[in-house]
Amino acid sequence: MKFSLAWPSALSSKGVLGMNKRNIDYIGRCNPRKFYKRVDDKLTTKQLALANNIAVPSLIGVVREQHEIEDIPAMVASEDGFVIKPSKGSGGKGILVITKVEAGRYYKPNGQEVTPSEVYRHVSNVLSGLFSLGGNPDVAIVEGLIQFDPVFDGYSYEGVPDIRLIVYKGFPVMGMLRLSTAASDGKANLHQGAVGVGVDIGTGKGLHAVQFDEPIDFHPDTNKKLTDIEVPHWDFLLHTASKAYEMSEMGYLGTDMVLDRDKGPLLLELNARPGLAIQIANNRGILPYLDNVDKLGNHNMTVDERVEYAKKHFCHSAQL
């Protein structure tokens, strides 16, 4: 299914959600502005998740002011690796991943050394708001490095894959695995060249894969067949995504999660304005699933019931 050159009415007839309709009918209608901080501020999201017994990557420290940048070497001295990210960043901007710390020297996933002065400059840019929404001053979060789950060996290049689930009124309705590539510099960002693999809500199995919105069958760097993948801990991931609805009080939400080798599923962040490329990765529109949820009206389903409903009605084989 090719979406890019079709008229909006033609896309809608195929069940494809466009940007204007997403913004007005789903984000604007379902996401109260007063709760945006819960998802736009990653530090707030982390604290909220912990309060709701949802596992997140370990917090090493927070840098709030320029003079605190000098504390980073001591902060990470005992770490094998770490991640620095802006608390209010978006689209993967401003994230620095260090996979090796050796005698005070830092190395990126591709082996390139990052000098302490480059780290300081990067964090200074974070604090100044260079990567934040609206360019407002920010804080830098220093997190523990996620240990790559070996189940994804060959499916991702120099980076940790993440799982994006779209949650509508508490129902996980569409899923995608994002896999880093050489083009994306080890980041799971589709706009930078990561691979998106649509995932069956019912089973966690790969359905269809794209890079730069074009269908592909094999990972461009590892030549691994992408649709052979089956995401482990799938039910747990669905439940975590569904629980994020009550936690955030956002009706239309993107949940981003990872699988850590030792800690299992971890919630990375939430997104109040999830992108539309997940439809391309799944080779189908999301509107029929959203309409299905709306037809349920006001319901009193538990998280477990919502997940079971989603697995039955939003799986690849379901007829809507």
Side-chain angles (χ1 to χ4, degrees), residues 66 69-73 76 82 84 96 98 104-107 112-126:
Q66 293 286 342
I69 297 175
E70 298 176 1
D71 298 334
I72 291 177
V76 302
F82 59 92
I84 295 175
L96 176 64
I98 299 297
R105 302 173 74 174
Y106 311 128
Y107 299 89
Q112 178 184 346
E113 183 175 359
V114 180
T115 65
S117 63
E118 288 173 322
V119 173
Y120 296 169
R121 184 164 58 252
H122 179 82
V123 177
S124 181
N125 286 335
V126 169

Side-chain angles (χ1 to χ4, degrees), residues 62-312:
V62 181
V63 179
R64 292 182 169 85
E65 298 181 9
Q66 293 286 342
H67 69 88
E68 294 175 339
I69 297 175
E70 298 176 1
D71 298 334
I72 291 177
M75 222 184 262
V76 302
S78 61
E79 303 290 332
D80 295 327
F82 59 92
V83 178
I84 295 175
K85 60 176 64 172
S87 186
K88 300 173 186 175
S90 65
K93 297 174 183 175
I95 297 176
L96 176 64
V97 179
I98 299 297
T99 53
K100 186 169 75 170
V101 179
E102 192 174 76
R105 302 173 74 174
Y106 311 128
Y107 299 89
K108 294 171 66 174
N110 62 7
Q112 178 184 346
E113 183 175 359
V114 180
T115 65
S117 63
E118 288 173 322
V119 173
Y120 296 169
R121 184 164 58 252
H122 179 82
V123 177
S124 181
N125 286 335
V126 169
L127 299 184
S128 69
L130 183 63
F131 309 110
S132 67
L133 290 165
N136 297 314
D138 205 350
V139 303
I141 301 171
V142 186
E143 286 184 341
L145 186 68
I146 296 161
Q147 299 301 320
F148 194 99
D149 191 310
V151 72
F152 292 129
D153 282 350
Y155 287 107
S156 197
Y157 182 79
E158 294 182 346
V160 178
D162 70 19
I163 300 101
R164 160 66 62 88
L165 285 164
I166 301 294
V167 180
Y168 183 49
K169 297 181 178 178
F171 294 84
V173 293
M174 189 168 276
M176 171 176 63
L177 186 64
R178 298 185 293 196
L179 308 170
S180 57
T181 65
S184 70
D185 191 28
K187 297 176 182 176
N189 187 296
L190 298 189
H191 298 295
Q192 296 176 0
V195 168
V197 182
V199 180
D200 186 1
I201 286 291
T203 64
K205 294 180 179 179
L207 297 171
H208 181 259
V210 294
Q211 184 186 33
F212 295 117
D213 294 345
E214 294 293 334
I216 59 172
D217 294 318
F218 301 93
H219 192 285
D221 305 303
T222 68
N223 208 37
K224 192 90 165 179
K225 188 174 181 181
L226 294 163
T227 52
D228 282 348
I229 197 164
E230 182 172 353
V231 181
H233 308 292
W234 187 242
D235 270 22
F236 192 95
L237 291 165
L238 293 176
H239 279 77
T240 300
S242 184
K243 285 195 289 186
Y245 167 60
E246 277 88 4
M247 183 181 85
S248 67
E249 297 187 67
M250 291 280 191
Y252 188 75
L253 191 67
T255 63
D256 296 338
M257 293 169 283
V258 293
L259 295 181
D260 185 273
R261 181 190 63 206
D262 304 316
K263 300 177 182 178
L266 303 174
L267 177 67
L268 267 187
E269 59 184 77
L270 303 175
N271 193 319
R273 312 165 193 81
L276 301 169
I278 193 169
Q279 299 175 104
I280 303 174
N282 278 270
N283 199 32
R284 62 187 57 203
I286 199 173
L287 276 174
Y289 306 120
L290 304 179
D291 291 341
N292 182 287
V293 172
D294 281 334
K295 287 174 184 175
L296 291 173
N298 294 324
H299 60 81
N300 296 309
M301 290 189 191
T302 64
V303 169
D304 287 347
E305 290 169 337
R306 294 197 303 259
V307 168
E308 288 308 309
Y309 184 92
K311 289 173 65 178
K312 179 179 178 180

Side-chain angles (χ1 to χ4, degrees), residues 24-41:
I24 296 169
D25 292 350
Y26 296 98
I27 296 175
R29 177 170 59 90
C30 301
N31 293 349
R33 178 65 60 177
K34 63 181 179 180
F35 296 140
Y36 267 56
K37 185 180 179 182
R38 297 180 181 181
V39 298
D40 283 348
D41 188 316

